[in-house]
Amino acid sequence: MMIRRRIARSEAVVGGEVTVCRLHQGTQFRQRLYGILDQGSAVDRFGAVVNWTLIGLIVVTLAATVLESVPRLAGQYAKAFQAIEYAALLTFTIEYAARLWTAIEHPRWRRFGAIRSRVRLAASPAGLIDLAAVLPFWLPLFIAADFKALLVLRLIRFFKLTRYSPAMRSLLEALYAERRALVGCFVILCGATLIAAALMHLAEGAAQPDRFGTIPDAMWWAIVTLGTVGYGDAVPITTGGRLIAGLTIFVGLLMVALPVGIVATAFANEVHRRDFVVTWGLVARVPLFSELTAAQIADVMKILRAQKVNKGTTIARRGEPAHSMYLILDGEVEIRLRHKHVHLGAGDFFGEIAALRQSRRSATVIALQTTRLLALDASDLHSLMDREPQIAARIRDAAQARLGEELETTGGDLMPAELPNTKII
């Protein structure tokens, strides 16, 4: 009896451990899937492949939808269009289900739990667009849907590209940020339309009762005139009407310029803000600047140049003048000295000795993978070291540790003992 109880307890413990292990693996898989879907190419190469596959499928389905509206092409390539649509609907359905399942991993919705986080995703603009992308397949199963209505729903897939386009997201964010100003412009436009239509009705109502006999009739002319379209189907013939039309045209130019200026300014500010936030995060991650204050980091950002190089790109070449030092944000580079090769990764920097000496490169630097760099010109480096003693001390300590007494002599920027704690080939 005692043996049976011990065996039962052991089996219960083992079973509990297996259950916990499976739950942990499921959570890890969900987090991994969330990273692939919502961060795309920022995760790894597989995420980039998934990202670009979805973008390509959206573009292909949009092109197929447009071409399918042509009767000749629809009859000739019906099977091809049908295959594309089924492949897209299957992929987008799986994507939508995966996004609902991984919604709990979203940082803003994690505190709401599994059910509420998924409801929030489904009710969000991006979730509604994802739902509309799969409705053309599921609607005919429940209701009789018109083919033209299904075509319109398919074209909504275009808005799925906003998830993958920072520029489109910035534009939408700019429109949302200036929504009150744009609503104000619309109200002013409505008022200008009403006033112009009423004045034109008074001036032209008797001369052209078929076009300006009522204020609603004259509002059509006011709308197309204020919109600077001017179809010409309604033209004033009296002196007063022409005077009112001239003033309306000038007001129309102002009404067009006002929202355009608001949107353009908001869009530019949004792009600059996004670039500032991204660059701030990159600079703050560099160990060389880790102890700087927010004001100091903002000052450093003004003189740094972000640079992205592909695998195999030559960043610096032996013998050429050294104009900059480089800080590695992510990726890996190889420094090819005369007798050995040195690898550097994220957080490392190179080229500062040549920038301090204003000499020539003594090694060739090659990117081993796609690498993001921050470049700092030699003149800016000297100015930064003059303004920030702690950065100057770090750079000089690193240079002294690498070259010792040779730092005060002439020569190149990279020596055999220059880069400690790195993998030597």
Side-chain angles (χ1 to χ4, degrees), residues 197-198 200-202 204-206 208-220:
M200 190 58 69
H201 166 65
L202 293 175
E204 295 283 333
Q208 301 185 74
D210 55 332
R211 289 184 171 88
F212 300 100
T214 64
I215 292 179
D217 291 336
M219 286 182 68
W220 168 249

Side-chain angles (χ1 to χ4, degrees), residues 62-94:
L62 289 174
T65 299
V66 173
L67 295 177
E68 193 176 359
S69 64
V70 180
R72 180 178 60 84
L73 297 178
Q76 187 174 358
Y77 301 102
K79 292 184 177 179
F81 290 140
Q82 191 176 29
I84 292 173
E85 185 61 20
Y86 282 147
L89 288 170
L90 178 62
T91 303
F92 294 149
T93 301
I94 295 174

Side-chain angles (χ1 to χ4, degrees), residues 20-252:
V20 172
C21 182
R22 288 177 178 174
L23 289 174
H24 181 65
Q25 290 176 350
T27 302
Q28 285 185 329
F29 176 72
R30 188 174 60 200
Q31 291 174 349
R32 166 70 172 162
L33 185 58
Y34 170 77
I36 292 174
L37 291 176
D38 280 79
Q39 299 179 30
S41 57
V43 179
D44 53 23
R45 184 172 297 179
F46 180 73
V49 171
V50 173
N51 198 21
W52 284 106
T53 300
L54 291 173
I55 293 175
L57 189 57
I58 293 170
V59 174
V60 169
T61 56
L62 289 174
T65 299
V66 173
L67 295 177
E68 193 176 359
S69 64
V70 180
R72 180 178 60 84
L73 297 178
Q76 187 174 358
Y77 301 102
K79 292 184 177 179
F81 290 140
Q82 191 176 29
I84 292 173
E85 185 61 20
Y86 282 147
L89 288 170
L90 178 62
T91 303
F92 294 149
T93 301
I94 295 174
E95 179 201 6
Y96 183 64
R99 290 189 184 277
L100 287 177
W101 184 55
T102 60
I104 193 174
E105 301 298 334
H106 196 288
R108 284 175 17 191
W109 300 334
R110 195 172 295 164
R111 68 181 186 274
F112 295 113
I115 302 299
R116 291 178 62 189
S117 62
R118 287 160 187 162
V119 171
R120 285 178 175 271
L121 174 64
S124 66
L128 294 176
I129 292 172
D130 290 334
L131 178 61
V134 299
L135 280 181
F137 176 76
W138 299 109
L139 277 181
L141 299 179
F142 303 98
I143 61 175
D146 182 51
F147 176 73
K148 293 183 178 180
L150 294 181
L151 284 180
V152 173
L153 284 177
R154 292 183 192 177
L155 293 177
I156 294 177
R157 294 170 188 166
F158 171 80
F159 295 101
K160 287 174 67 68
L161 293 175
T162 57
R163 180 178 281 114
Y164 310 102
S165 173
M168 293 181 68
R169 288 200 302 271
S170 297
L171 178 58
L172 293 177
E173 290 171 1
L175 292 175
Y176 181 78
E178 298 296 334
R179 61 191 183 280
R180 293 183 179 86
L182 294 175
V183 169
C185 291
F186 179 74
V187 172
I188 295 173
L189 178 62
C190 291
T193 301
L194 183 61
I195 293 173
L199 292 176
M200 190 58 69
H201 166 65
L202 293 175
E204 295 283 333
Q208 301 185 74
D210 55 332
R211 289 184 171 88
F212 300 100
T214 64
I215 292 179
D217 291 336
M219 286 182 68
W220 168 249
W221 170 87
I223 291 172
V224 297
T225 303
L226 287 171
T228 68
V229 178
Y231 288 130
D233 55 342
V235 179
I237 57 177
T238 64
T239 303
R242 290 176 178 176
L243 179 61
I244 295 172
L247 294 175
T248 305
I249 291 172
F250 282 114
V251 173

